[in-house]
């Protein structure tokens, strides 16, 4: 006869692997959850930094825009008088505007790239590279499959064609 303690030990031994496995799964799920939360927090912090940087760029652009508007109004009078194009300040202003435009374009591209990296999405350049590589591999596969297709088609035609078989 088995005692009550032996029966309890047997049941505990039988349920222990299942309980251990459940505990492992729960611990793994908690580890994954904490990892994802940490990654999300890092991404959110980076996005906030990018937003702050973007706000600084916008403020800089606003101040430059206000300065340019003041200069434009002053030069508007000269334009109406017809002396604007010969003015060296106009030529200098044109150079400043072009350099500011180029700088703004670079900054916005940089911010866009940082946002794409923070989110974890492939950039357009990466997608183009992947498409080129995919096209190369596709051509290689097609080139490798052409002889196989010809060989299988040729064998099928000669077996099914009675004109090519010799008659006795």
């Amino acid at each position: 006869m088995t005692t009550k303690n032996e029966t309890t030990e047997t049941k505990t031994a039988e349920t222990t692997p299942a309980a251990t496995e459940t505990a492992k799964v729960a611990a793994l799920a908690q580890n994954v959850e904490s990892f994802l939360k940490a990654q999300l927090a890092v991404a959110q912090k980076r996005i906030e930094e990018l937003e702050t940087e973007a706000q600084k760029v916008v403020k800089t652009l606003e101040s430059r825009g206000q300065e340019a508007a003041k200069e434009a109004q002053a030069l508007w009078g000269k334009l109406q008088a017809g002396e604007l194009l010969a003015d060296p300040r106009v030529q200098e202003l044109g150079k400043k505007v072009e350099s500011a435009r180029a700088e703004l374009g670079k900054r916005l591209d940089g911010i866009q790239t940082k946002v794409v990296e923070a989110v974890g999405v492939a950039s357009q350049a990466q997608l183009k590279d992947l498409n080129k590589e995919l096209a190369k591999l596709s051509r290689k596969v097609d080139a490798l499959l052409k002889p196989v297709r010809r060989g299988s088609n040729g064998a099928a035609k000669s077996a099914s064609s009675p004109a090519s078989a010799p008659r006795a």
Side-chain angles (χ1 to χ4, degrees):
M1 272 193 157
T2 61
T3 64
K4 190 174 184 180
N5 286 340
E6 289 176 2
T7 306
T8 305
E9 288 177 14
T10 307
K11 287 182 180 178
T12 303
E14 290 173 359
T15 59
T16 301
T20 303
E21 198 62 34
T22 303
K24 286 180 182 178
V25 169
L28 180 62
Q30 189 173 5
N31 287 342
V32 169
E33 182 180 345
S34 63
F35 173 76
L36 290 175
K37 284 182 180 179
Q39 291 298 318
L40 184 61
V42 168
Q44 187 173 5
K45 182 179 178 184
R46 184 68 181 135
I47 288 172
E48 289 172 358
E49 291 172 359
L50 292 173
E51 285 178 349
T52 303
E53 186 178 334
Q55 288 174 352
K56 288 178 184 177
V57 169
V58 168
K59 286 180 182 179
T60 302
L61 291 175
E62 285 177 352
S63 65
R64 284 185 182 177
Q66 290 172 354
E67 291 172 13
K70 289 177 184 176
E71 286 185 35
Q73 281 187 338
L75 295 174
W76 179 251
K78 288 185 177 183
L79 176 64
Q80 290 177 338
E83 60 189 60
L84 185 64
L85 296 177
D87 190 352
R89 284 185 19 189
V90 171
Q91 294 171 355
E92 184 180 331
L93 182 62
K95 290 176 185 176
K96 285 182 182 179
V97 167
E98 182 57 32
S99 69
R101 185 203 58 81
E103 182 183 339
L104 174 63
K106 287 178 184 177
R107 283 188 180 183
L108 289 178
D109 286 344
I111 290 172
Q112 181 182 8
T113 301
K114 289 177 183 178
V115 168
V116 167
E117 288 174 358
V119 174
V121 178
S123 67
Q124 289 181 349
Q126 290 171 331
L127 289 176
K128 285 180 183 178
D129 290 343
L130 287 173
N131 282 333
K132 286 180 184 178
E133 190 66 28
L134 183 61
K136 286 179 185 177
L137 292 173
S138 179
R139 285 192 296 270
K140 286 181 181 179
V141 168
D142 288 344
L144 290 172
L145 290 177
K146 276 187 179 179
V148 173
R149 288 181 186 156
R150 286 185 194 157
S152 65
N153 289 344
K157 286 182 181 178
S158 64
S160 65
S161 160
S164 61
R167 295 183 183 177

